[in-house]
Amino acid sequence: MILFINACVRKGSRTKELAECLLAERNEPVEEVVLHNETFPSADEDFLNRRDRLIAEGKWEDPMFTRARQFAKADEIVIAAPFWDLSFPATLKQYFEQINVVGITFSYSPEGVPVGLCRAKKLTYVTTAGGGFVPEVYGAGYVKALAQGFYGIPEFKVIKATGLDVEGADVKALIEEAKEEIE
């Protein structure tokens, strides 16, 4: 099963268009999580205390961990997130706060090093940007660090189209060029 994490908000999203092209190429069952339809609790002290208590008690089936279990069981993960304000939409960060669960998506070695527990062997990060200044450290780089450093997902790929809102840009050609990376 491919888990599709959709952080796109706009109708006609160019990021979602690229992700849908990728998913069509895969031709496998897809579970989609539309982040703007989710209501995430704040990761405040009460949230953290409750999560820590449930983890200590081994209550992995608690609804609090539904998204983490779903993420950990996926065979492949596709995240579609436009590049906004030098990063990605805030709902994606909130999603990561929900799925970062010791004992489900990762554990720690005796030396304190994260050990990934996720089944997926590949995470593809799909993004678009209006401009050309798209430092990966703030968007894709952050997701790559989580995928490989925490979740144990060895293969990470970025599919992107940038410069889409630059005056005179051939948007259709830029999107088509990004689609060629999919194959």
Side-chain angles (χ1 to χ4, degrees), residues 3-182:
L3 181 60
F4 174 37
I5 308 303
N6 179 353
C8 304
V9 176
R10 294 186 173 137
K11 290 179 180 162
S13 166
R14 300 172 294 200
T15 305
K16 188 174 180 202
E17 177 185 343
L18 287 176
E20 288 174 341
C21 181
L22 171 70
L23 294 170
E25 283 287 320
R26 294 290 196 272
N27 195 27
E28 294 181 32
V30 175
E31 285 185 28
E32 182 178 5
V33 178
V34 180
L35 295 183
H36 70 265
N37 290 341
E38 298 282 317
T39 302
F40 296 116
S42 294
D44 59 13
E45 187 171 8
D46 289 339
F47 170 88
L48 296 173
N49 288 339
R50 178 170 182 257
R51 183 177 68 182
D52 291 347
R53 180 180 50 76
L54 291 169
I55 290 169
E57 294 171 0
K59 293 187 177 176
W60 309 117
E61 295 305 314
D62 190 272
M64 176 181 239
F65 302 135
T66 298
R67 291 289 178 220
R69 289 190 311 272
Q70 178 188 41
F71 190 90
K73 290 178 183 175
D75 297 309
E76 181 177 349
I77 298 163
V78 173
I79 297 176
F83 192 73
W84 287 359
D85 304 322
L86 290 180
S87 189
F88 42 73
T91 56
L92 184 56
K93 176 64 168 93
Q94 290 176 302
Y95 175 78
F96 288 132
E97 289 172 351
Q98 303 304 308
I99 67 164
N100 287 342
V101 180
V102 175
I104 297 179
T105 54
F106 73 99
S107 64
Y108 286 112
S109 72
E111 298 78 32
V113 177
V115 176
L117 300 177
C118 294
R119 179 185 327 186
K121 300 295 179 223
K122 182 176 187 177
L123 189 149
T124 304
Y125 186 78
V126 181
T127 192
T128 59
F133 183 65
V134 186
E136 290 202 2
V137 68
Y138 301 118
Y142 177 86
V143 178
K144 180 179 182 180
L146 283 173
Q148 295 179 331
F150 268 81
Y151 306 140
I153 302 171
E155 188 177 344
F156 183 85
K157 182 175 183 178
V158 176
I159 296 172
K160 66 181 176 180
T162 62
L164 299 175
D165 296 335
V166 173
E167 189 173 326
D170 185 345
V171 175
K172 186 175 180 177
L174 292 169
I175 293 290
E176 289 304 315
E177 183 179 316
K179 285 180 180 180
E180 289 175 14
E181 292 180 45
I182 290 172

